[in-house]
Amino acid sequence: HVQLVESGGGSVQAGESLRLTCEISLYIYSSYCMGWFRQTPGKERAAVAAHYTGTATTYVADSVKGRFTISQDSNKRTLYLQMNSLKPEDTGMYSCVASAGSTGGYCGPDASLYKYSGRGTQVTVS
């Protein structure tokens, strides 16, 4: 079955950077939306960024705009989240998500778009 495996989390100081990586395997679709969600204690799980394969369609949450960049490898099987100028409020469990095939070119923060999710990688900013 489909697997998403995240890596790259860690503990950093405010102002530093991290790059998260998500590898997707056993995925049969060629067009889909992939993204990153963040779970912070005491808050709802929320979308951070998302990208539709093979297009310029990208969603980035206002809270991370200008600091986080989402990108995808040309093989469409690896997703990245470059996180710069990290803040303590960026602390959380970051999960990679993917839709079950085409979403008609739309890629956004709606959790209902995404059928698949990885286990997550912890990011702690102090």
Side-chain angles (χ1 to χ4, degrees), residues 38 47-49 60-69 81 90 94:
R38 177 169 69 194
V48 175
V60 181
D62 287 342
S63 59
V64 303
K65 232 167 234 182
R67 300 187 297 120
F68 289 15
T69 303
L81 185 68
D90 295 320
Y94 286 72

Side-chain angles (χ1 to χ4, degrees), residues 11 14-15 34 42 52 54 61 65 78 80-81 88 95 99 102 110-112 120 126:
S11 296
M34 286 187 75
Y52 201 90
K65 232 167 234 182
T78 307
Y80 304 100
L81 185 68
S95 299
S99 65
S102 174
D110 314 273
S112 61
S126 58

Side-chain angles (χ1 to χ4, degrees), residues 31-113:
S31 295
Y32 51 93
C33 183
M34 286 187 75
W36 294 92
F37 273 66
R38 177 169 69 194
Q39 177 71 65
T40 302
K43 294 186 179 179
E44 285 189 14
R45 189 167 174 256
V48 175
H51 173 74
Y52 201 90
T53 56
T55 74
T57 300
T58 300
Y59 163 83
V60 181
D62 287 342
S63 59
V64 303
K65 232 167 234 182
R67 300 187 297 120
F68 289 15
T69 303
I70 188 170
S71 62
Q72 191 171 34
D73 211 336
S74 57
N75 64 14
K76 298 184 181 180
R77 292 297 184 258
T78 307
L79 187 73
Y80 304 100
L81 185 68
Q82 178 66 43
M83 305 187 295
N84 297 329
S85 303
L86 282 160
K87 303 177 180 180
E89 51 263 43
D90 295 320
T91 293
M93 180 68 75
Y94 286 72
S95 299
C96 178
V97 296
S99 65
S102 174
T103 58
Y106 172 71
C107 213
D110 314 273
S112 61
L113 282 175

Side-chain angles (χ1 to χ4, degrees), residues 2 25-30 77:
V2 175
S25 61
L26 303 177
Y27 196 75
I28 62 173
Y29 305 102
S30 59
R77 292 297 184 258

